Amino acid sequence: MHRCEACILLGTAILLLSTQFKCVQSLNEDGLAVTPVMGWNSWNTFGTYIDEELIKTTADLLLELGLADVGYTTLSLDDGWSSNRTEDGLLIGSKSKFPSGMKALGDYIHSKGLKFGIYSDAGPMTCAGWPGSRGYEEIDAQTFASFGVDYLKYDNCFAPADDWVIDRYTAMSRALKKTDRPIVYSLCDWGVLDPWLGWAKNISHSWRTTQDIAPNWDSILANLDSSIGLAQFAGPGGWNDADMLEIGVGNSLTHNQERAHFALWSLLKSPLLIGADLRNITTDSLNVLKAKEIIAMNQDVLGVAGELVWKQGPKEIYAAPLAGGSRGLVFLNRHCGGTNQYPTINMTVHWSEIGLPDGMEAWVRDLWRQIDLPRTYNSSFTASVELHDGAAFKVTPVSLDLKRDHKMIALLDGWRPWKGNPSFVVHNEDLAELSERNMSMELPRDEYGYLLSVSK
Ligand code: GLA
């Protein structure tokens, strides 16, 4: 999202929700990354095989495919863009890959209304063996600013053990501040020094919390599991980064897995960085990446990251408060296997698990289908979730008036999903659901396929 758009949204939220000003204040004073960064990064598909033509084409495609319109505006080069340092110690782009130079590339990206991201390393070498920035922080920060860089991903390879992580990352933070250019600083220490615990917040706008992601379901789940318990540390200006998106990368995830990956990363308020080759992305993957109402959870102005609130083996429910008293929900069916022995399952969320008073009447909106369900719910909601899918919903209490009910809205917005959770409570609905999985037995459903018998 553009900074100015984020500011307008933030301003609106402050006006409307003045009682909750604390909730939308940035962790950082500089006003950057008020919502998680959205964009594209070269690593997941291209590794070090990047060049000027690919990046310019990708810039064009971000616009042509409507991705920039929905918020993907930071176009970021990962490892492999540079050559060795000049005799003066300057970092320059590889002449064979970027013959027009990095400043010209930045100008092209900016001419499209996009932001320019680049990559370096807090050690002597990048992970792929190009020069790192340790010891050259100031000179490199000035170089990046002279290229017109708006975003820096800063990796953690090859650092000696006695060169403390915090010192190395702080040195670049200081150097970036000296450039006087607003540069979003994205730490990539893979979570080795628990960056969520505070030190990273003071110096950066996001911090990687996990190992490198890969385009397979096990990797998505591993990074998801490594994110549990971290929501409380994120907020406007400083986000947990569960690593880049694998949607459309190598067509190795099923459609449901892509939906689950995207809905969960959105709710966790991870930066949303597309890793696919946009020249041949499928319509299905594109539709996942462009699902506006899922993106809206990620960019919600309240800026509270989602957390696991209910779990029973492979059935999980994640939730976050959304501005205005609503809740964002993702129901994940992570049953193993892919045979018809593991069909669609039902999962129920109770209002007590998402900080809504029992009896409070609420609308439920299906965020993938972009429809309101035809009736209201007042204490729980049951969803059917296909194998490896992430069904996503927004629960909104009915008839809340921003002026009249501002105290109630402030109370609802103040709910935090990590307090008192995760919950392992057994629902009566879970038992009823087993007979539903006898496919020969038909239980009554509404026109959208939601169970009528167990939804109150
Ligand atoms: C590390 C990072 C990756 C990527 C590569 C580049 O592994 O975690 O995201 O940037 O380096 O070499």
Side-chain angles (χ1 to χ4, degrees), residues 43-44 48 78-79 119 126-128 153 155 157 188 190 208 210-212 243-244:
W43 183 254
N44 285 1
T48 59
D78 208 280
D79 208 349
Y119 163 99
T126 72
C127 301
K153 171 176 174 180
D155 216 339
C157 274
C188 179
W190 320 306
R208 269 275 295 277
T210 65
Q211 62 189 347
D212 282 12
D243 208 356
M244 299 167 291

Side-chain angles (χ1 to χ4, degrees), residues 44-169:
N44 285 1
T45 293
F46 298 100
T48 59
Y49 297 96
I50 50 177
D51 60 33
E52 195 168 300
E53 202 192 317
L54 170 73
I55 300 303
K56 286 165 102 174
T57 305
T58 301
D60 298 346
L61 285 168
L62 282 171
L63 273 73
E64 281 163 30
L65 296 174
L67 289 162
D69 268 354
V70 295
Y72 298 97
T73 52
T74 297
L75 198 174
S76 207
L77 311 192
D78 208 280
D79 208 349
W81 64 270
S82 77
S83 65
N84 288 323
R85 287 184 188 279
T86 64
E87 282 178 6
D88 303 334
L90 288 180
L91 261 191
I92 52 167
S94 155
K95 289 213 167 103
S96 56
K97 294 177 181 171
F98 298 98
S100 311
M102 305 314 286
K103 166 83 170 72
L105 185 67
D107 288 347
Y108 186 84
I109 291 170
H110 291 145
S111 77
K112 299 277 164 183
L114 301 171
K115 298 197 179 284
F116 180 22
I118 213 161
Y119 163 99
S120 190
D121 190 282
M125 267 196 307
T126 72
C127 301
W130 300 101
S133 290
R134 189 60 175 141
Y136 292 85
E137 289 87 355
E138 294 213 357
I139 192 170
D140 287 358
Q142 294 298 334
T143 301
F144 300 148
S146 75
F147 293 165
V149 159
D150 307 293
Y151 172 98
L152 173 67
K153 171 176 174 180
Y154 207 45
D155 216 339
N156 194 24
C157 274
F158 296 112
D162 59 355
D163 194 0
W164 199 34
V165 179
I166 296 183
D167 288 344
R168 292 186 285 112
Y169 279 93

